[in-house]
Amino acid sequence: MNNRVSRVSMFVTPTNPRFIDKAWTRGGDAYILDIEDSIAPAEKQRCRTLIRESIDKANKGGASIYVRINKPFVDADLPYAVWRGVDRIMLPKTETAEEMQHAHQIITALEKERGIPPGSIELYPMIETTLGAVNIHQILTAVDRKIWSMGGGGGYDMAVNLGIEMFADFDQYAYPIAYITLASMALDIESTGGVFIPNTSGRVDQSDQAILQAAALHRAGIHHSGALHPAFIEPLVKGLTPTTEEIEWAKAVIQKFDEISSVGESIGTLEGKIVDIYEYQKAKVTLDWALECAEKDCFKENALKRASS
Amino acid sequence: MKKILHHRRSWMIVPAHDPKLADTIAQYKPDVVVLDLEYSVAPKYKEQARANLVKTVSTIATDDIEIFVRIDKASRWADVDAAMHRGLTGIIFCGVDEESEITEIDALINTKEKERGIDPGHIELVIILESAKGFWNLSEILQASPRLSAVGVGRIDLTMQLGPVPQHEFRLFRYLMTRTLVAGKMHGKQLLGAMWRPDSRGGVANQESTKLAAQQAKLMGYTGCICATPEQVNPMNLGFLS
């Protein structure tokens, strides 16, 4: 069964057959069918009408499907975006709780009308402006619809809003990203807030950059990332999956902690490292995540086999 | 009246059940002694650790040693009850998530002060933040009790599972230190914490990295820190020296 593992989600343009027809072969965990910034105004309506058929094109390799709609056209976009097979609606430049409530009401009505389990489509607020960052707690608690993970606080739009350069050699988004991350963690929403890697080249298609990015995210404990170019997919999927060594270590930590707990102790050592409740909990997260990744990989593999035969 | 000759820089943890704790205190001379009922006390020693406090608090407290007891959040009511004796300066409460937890502990301390003949309002409350909820609710928490004298940044790298980032810090660490600084200063509290680095996991950091962590925290406005091991007392005292 497909799950919510989304080590990498990549944007695809439904209006461009070259991208949408091939996306499923690229190995992404999720594809974002875009009606927003990658679609020219004159193409928006044609793009809307292509969303439904694009779902079954892009998910042939077992990927989850997200749709990114337009902030000014929520009412016009949603009837073309809410379908069975869509896992998440992405609401760009979200700034207020009211925007969340408005989109939620429309999605709820469409779910009912189209026989989609109520509340099953995630509404994902994209935080791309200062106002959105400041209002993050209200935004995340605005509707009775599960938000699984949350990131944001940086990116092109935030740079424009702040009047700063997008590509810098220091972390110009440290504060909004941290603020959004803290709010999501406080609400038990998995945080995906990025880790700063210097990139002054402005290029987003270099796979060595992707390897660095994956390693940094993995060390920081983040399970998700986005991509603008297919060259980023494989390094991110691989780099955010626990390695065999990490899984073996986690098992050893759990075994050791069970041993010390069974005799009423709480701190022990394993190969010179401390084993305690914190290391035990961290090990459990590693194992749970490894299991979810394996489940997703298995689902993708089977889907790919069926699609290729 | 206590004669305070120094800031409270080093807050040394000693397990409350440790039979040699008096020797440890005499040897390392921390600014503050923290008798622990939490992390350093394994479940099978908890009862004994609580039972020891009556005697320990009254014998250890002298004119220049201040005694705090660190309570375990899961058993905080029994722990406060066991800790509240004459000679105690305050209670350390780790892992606070919200205001109501402080109001409740404050009321319990009130009752125990009355019962045990301690001056009303004498017992201080020090909180150590370890969770995202606690950091989010920080400002409300800090206003929840007049006893609250200090706020600290605790084991967030461990409890919130914040891994290292390429800037050679724990993810979010600098932001949470800053957020705590701003709220703590606003409400006039002492700030406890050190600028720990990923290669110096708090509890096992060596003397050099402990001193550096303290020096950098001092530059930010922090004035003291919990010492998870006695060996951290000296580097903390040096790092926070003003």
Side-chain angles (χ1 to χ4, degrees):
Chain A
M1 193 180 146
N2 202 356
N3 64 22
R4 292 186 179 267
V5 167
S6 182
R7 287 160 293 192
V8 58
S9 52
M10 196 184 80
F11 285 102
V12 284
T13 45
T15 48
N16 188 332
R18 200 158 64 86
F19 295 149
I20 190 67
D21 292 344
K22 280 212 190 121
W24 67 277
T25 63
R26 306 286 197 178
D29 284 345
Y31 292 108
I32 305 163
L33 306 177
D34 194 20
I35 326 180
E36 203 216 13
D37 284 355
S38 64
I39 307 296
E43 284 276 85
K44 298 267 186 210
Q45 185 52 33
R46 189 169 78 87
C47 183
R48 289 184 186 118
T49 63
L50 292 171
I51 294 293
R52 193 176 188 182
E53 64 193 65
S54 297
I55 298 167
D56 290 334
K57 285 183 183 171
N59 73 10
K60 275 198 293 184
S64 305
I65 300 299
Y66 310 154
V67 180
R68 180 169 74 168
I69 62 171
N70 295 276
K71 175 167 171 142
F73 312 126
V74 170
D75 296 61
D77 288 347
L78 279 174
Y80 292 96
V82 175
W83 302 108
R84 186 177 281 276
V86 170
D87 297 276
R88 170 189 287 187
I89 298 289
M90 297 172 73
L91 193 59
K93 302 175 192 70
T94 305
E95 295 184 308
T96 64
E98 289 72 27
E99 289 167 41
M100 288 292 280
Q101 285 149 3
H102 180 66
H104 169 71
Q105 281 163 8
I106 302 175
I107 295 170
T108 304
L110 288 165
E111 280 173 336
K112 240 183 233 174
E113 196 182 303
R114 297 178 181 177
I116 303 164
S120 64
I121 296 182
E122 182 185 357
L123 178 58
Y124 184 94
M126 297 176 74
I127 305 301
E128 305 177 275
T129 64
T130 48
L131 183 58
V134 167
N135 287 338
I136 185 64
H137 198 273
Q138 291 101 294
I139 290 170
L140 292 178
T141 51
V143 295
D144 184 18
R145 184 176 285 273
K146 169 95 178 138
I147 294 173
W148 293 86
S149 63
M150 191 62 219
Y156 290 102
D157 291 294
M158 186 63 93
V160 171
N161 190 234
L162 288 167
I164 58 171
E165 284 294 327
M166 164 78 185
F167 295 101
D169 60 358
F170 67 96
D171 189 359
Q172 72 275 55
Y173 305 121
Y175 179 81
I177 288 180
Y179 188 74
I180 289 164
T181 303
L182 179 62
S184 13
M185 288 175 107
L187 291 165
D188 293 324
I189 296 168
E190 184 167 6
S191 75
T192 63
V195 165
F196 174 70
I197 315 281
N199 176 11
T200 50
S201 73
R203 293 185 57 178
V204 289
D205 61 347
Q206 291 152 310
S207 60
D208 55 342
Q209 180 77 15
I211 292 168
L212 287 178
Q213 190 184 329
L217 291 172
H218 189 55
R219 274 165 62 78
I222 297 171
H223 294 160
H224 310 270
S225 181
L228 295 172
H229 192 279
F232 268 57
I233 291 180
E234 204 247 326
L236 281 164
V237 167
K238 202 174 154 207
L240 295 181
T241 308
T243 63
T244 315
E245 294 75 40
E246 286 167 336
I247 294 168
E248 289 313 311
W249 174 255
K251 284 181 183 165
V253 166
I254 286 172
Q255 194 190 346
K256 183 74 192 176
F257 189 73
D258 284 343
E259 274 170 37
I260 56 182
S261 309
S262 68
V263 292
E265 294 286 352
S266 53
I267 307 167
T269 56
L270 183 64
E271 293 173 28
K273 292 191 171 128
I274 284 187
V275 171
D276 57 11
I277 185 74
Y278 306 112
E279 297 302 328
Y280 169 75
Q281 280 162 353
K282 197 172 138 200
K284 282 211 300 187
V285 169
T286 301
L287 289 192
D288 286 349
W289 175 237
L291 196 66
E292 285 179 59
C293 289
E295 196 183 357
K296 178 80 183 184
D297 288 336
C298 182
F299 181 80
K300 280 163 70 180
E301 204 180 307
N302 289 333
L304 207 56
K305 264 186 219 154
R306 282 195 304 273
S308 312
S309 62
Chain B
M1 184 71 191
K2 278 188 191 294
K3 195 172 56 174
I4 303 298
L5 301 172
H6 43 64
H7 298 295
R8 294 165 171 175
R9 297 163 301 177
S10 49
W11 298 59
M12 184 179 79
I13 302 278
V14 277
H17 66 288
D18 182 356
K20 291 189 201 138
L21 63 87
D23 297 341
T24 312
I25 295 165
Q27 187 186 343
Y28 291 94
K29 300 187 181 58
D31 291 346
V32 178
V33 170
V34 180
L35 301 172
D36 195 20
L37 293 177
E38 203 221 23
Y39 176 80
S40 72
V41 183
K44 68 175 174 188
Y45 303 118
K46 292 267 180 193
E47 276 304 321
Q48 188 199 331
R50 278 193 207 108
N52 280 0
L53 284 177
V54 170
K55 193 165 152 257
T56 319
V57 168
S58 57
T59 53
I60 302 286
T62 63
D63 278 354
D64 35 63
I65 295 183
E66 290 185 295
I67 306 287
F68 282 70
V69 169
R70 178 165 76 172
I71 56 170
D72 188 331
K73 185 173 182 181
S75 55
R76 55 192 186 267
W77 309 275
D79 290 355
V80 167
D81 188 19
M84 293 278 296
H85 302 289
R86 288 178 72 91
L88 184 76
T89 302
I91 298 283
I92 300 183
F93 184 179
C94 292
V96 177
D97 286 323
E98 50 195 52
E99 196 184 344
S100 62
E101 293 164 350
I102 297 295
T103 341
E104 185 203 39
I105 282 293
D106 183 76
L108 179 58
I109 295 174
N110 265 332
T111 311
K112 295 294 162 192
E113 278 178 339
K114 267 181 216 152
E115 273 179 30
R116 312 231 166 122
I118 301 168
D119 292 343
H122 171 79
I123 301 294
E124 294 177 29
L125 188 57
V126 168
I127 57 160
I128 308 287
L129 300 167
E130 300 181 341
S131 68
K133 283 192 175 66
F135 282 103
W136 186 264
N137 297 323
L138 182 50
S139 198
E140 290 77 27
I141 290 173
L142 288 180
Q143 297 173 76
S145 162
R147 299 175 186 282
L148 216 150
S149 58
V151 54
V153 175
R155 302 161 281 207
I156 53 176
D157 54 316
L158 301 170
T159 56
M160 292 168 71
Q161 307 204 359
L162 305 178
V165 293
Q167 290 69 50
H168 195 52
E169 291 182 3
F170 288 111
R171 179 182 174 220
L172 296 187
F173 200 81
R174 188 170 288 271
Y175 170 69
L176 296 174
M177 287 285 281
T178 312
R179 185 176 168 95
T180 306
L181 173 78
V182 172
K185 284 280 182 194
M186 183 167 103
H187 297 293
K189 311 302 180 193
Q190 187 192 359
L191 288 147
L192 304 179
M195 201 62 204
W196 299 113
R197 297 289 168 151
D199 57 4
S200 62
R201 183 188 152 169
V204 293
N206 64 31
Q207 303 219 4
E208 201 180 327
S209 58
T210 301
K211 187 179 163 192
L212 188 65
Q215 281 171 332
Q216 293 186 341
K218 180 174 178 276
L219 290 173
M220 291 182 79
Y222 284 71
T223 55
C225 187
I226 299 282
C227 304
T229 64
E231 289 77 21
Q232 291 181 333
V233 169
N234 193 44
M236 284 295 185
N237 284 346
L238 291 173
F240 282 114
L241 199 64
S242 47

